[in-house]
Amino acid sequence: MNCSSCGISVASFGLTFFDSKCSACVSFDEVRDHEIALKNERYLNDFFDRAYSKSSTYDCLVPVRPDAEDYFVVNYLVSRGLNPLVVLVNNFFLNDIGWRNFHNLITVYDVDSVAYSPNYPAYQEMVRASLRKLGSIYYPYKAIQHGYVMRLAREKSIPVVVWGQCQPLEFSGKFSRRDRLFLSQWWVHEHETNGVTLEQFLGTGVQLNKRDHSMLQYPRISETRGVKSVFLSNFLPWDQARQNIDALSKGFVTESSDNSYDGFEN
């Protein structure tokens, strides 16, 4: 079966179909639905107003990679009069361009930042184990990033963690823009760590001290009470190409790649 709108196959990206139209096209149609856009704008305004009233020093925390999308997110928050804390979890794979874009981001928008580097020998072992057991080097980074930003938000009494794009929404329409979608432990398990639990990852063959296990753990609900994680793309029209072009005017630097025509890919 193929989508009557875009022609994509039912086997692609885990799509579902509504009559003859794929979920990605249904999601794209919602972008142009004025009623949905208006309701989402109102909800987002109320959400940030409530967060602002609860905040102390920082109104929100923004995890960055850093890429052009991060420039859009920080610009949106600053233009609302919010004071974000920008957080970079070091995956030890950033090159000079990546670090330059991070330093430029926090300089252009004049925001405070935290750069966290996990214990390097322990992280090396995690990456080796991830590649050996899962065929990917990114499990440790994703698990550490999500756990760290939630603990930091709670520690600093920051009520909101703001993420940019919700990929399952944008690429496959897995969710609707009518949904009130927030990031949770289930989200991280399902979409970031691909259903692999910490116990399964540590299982056998991972040579880590027990004190290093905590880096990979997502905090318990009781440890993150009062902190919500929100995707801006669930509430705002999301134009990645426009974000990329706008980031250039702020000093964002792209990089040529042999395996992609897109210099904005990180």
Side-chain angles (χ1 to χ4, degrees):
M1 182 176 180
N2 293 83
C3 176
S4 60
S5 181
C6 69
I8 200 168
S9 166
V10 68
S12 303
F13 302 111
L15 295 171
T16 54
F17 273 67
F18 299 89
D19 296 326
S20 62
K21 185 174 287 190
C22 74
S23 51
C25 286
V26 171
S27 176
F28 181 72
D29 289 342
E30 289 179 346
V31 175
R32 296 174 292 184
D33 188 312
H34 180 71
E35 180 183 354
I36 295 177
L38 187 60
K39 287 182 178 179
N40 282 343
E41 183 181 2
R42 288 173 178 168
Y43 182 88
L44 197 61
N45 287 337
D46 291 342
F47 177 80
F48 279 120
D49 286 345
R50 291 194 300 271
Y52 184 79
S53 66
K54 297 177 183 177
S55 64
S56 52
T57 305
Y58 301 107
D59 301 312
C60 53
L61 185 153
V62 182
V64 299
R65 281 189 282 257
D67 57 16
E69 174 186 302
D70 298 325
Y71 280 68
F72 172 82
V73 173
V74 174
N75 180 76
Y76 174 80
L77 296 171
V78 170
S79 67
R80 290 187 63 100
L82 299 174
N83 182 26
L85 174 65
V86 171
V87 178
L88 172 70
V89 174
N90 185 9
N91 61 14
F92 295 99
F93 296 112
L94 280 181
N95 59 17
D96 290 344
I97 294 177
W99 282 108
R100 182 198 181 284
N101 285 330
F102 170 65
H103 292 140
N104 182 66
L105 171 70
I106 60 178
T107 301
V108 167
Y109 293 105
D110 192 22
V111 292
D112 290 348
S113 65
V114 171
Y116 169 70
S117 294
N119 176 278
Y120 189 64
Y123 187 76
Q124 281 183 305
E125 172 58 23
M126 293 176 194
V127 171
R128 283 193 293 264
S130 181
L131 182 60
R132 183 174 66 249
K133 300 178 72 171
L134 306 176
S136 168
I137 61 175
Y138 286 113
Y139 180 94
Y141 168 64
K142 292 180 177 180
I144 291 171
Q145 181 190 39
H146 284 281
Y148 177 76
V149 298
M150 291 300 289
R151 284 190 289 268
L152 183 63
R154 179 65 186 272
E155 175 189 320
K156 293 186 174 295
S157 301
I158 302 173
V160 180
V161 177
V162 182
W163 301 84
Q165 183 185 69
C166 172
Q167 290 186 344
L169 172 67
E170 293 298 314
F171 295 157
S172 67
K174 183 175 182 178
F175 304 98
S176 168
R177 282 178 167 78
R178 299 179 188 274
D179 298 329
R180 296 291 178 248
L181 184 62
F182 294 92
L183 188 144
S184 63
Q185 185 174 10
W186 170 84
W187 171 274
V188 175
H189 175 71
E190 184 76 10
H191 300 101
E192 294 290 333
T193 57
N194 298 322
V196 178
T197 65
L198 177 58
E199 291 74 21
Q200 289 171 326
F201 176 69
L202 293 175
T204 57
V206 183
Q207 305 300 316
L208 282 178
N209 292 320
K210 283 191 175 181
R211 66 174 180 270
D212 294 320
H213 293 185
S214 60
M215 286 193 293
L216 296 163
Q217 290 176 330
Y218 194 87
R220 295 188 297 270
I221 293 177
S222 61
E223 296 173 323
T224 58
R225 188 169 288 114
V227 180
K228 281 196 172 184
S229 290
V230 62
F231 294 101
L232 283 188
S233 70
N234 189 224
F235 302 97
L236 299 175
W238 203 255
D239 188 338
Q240 192 167 347
R242 172 52 57 186
Q243 292 173 14
N244 292 346
I245 294 171
D246 289 345
L248 292 176
S249 67
K250 300 297 183 181
F252 181 83
V253 176
T254 62
E255 181 181 20
S256 298
S257 173
D258 293 335
N259 59 3
S260 173
Y261 66 87
D262 187 356
F264 293 92
E265 281 296 316
N266 59 358

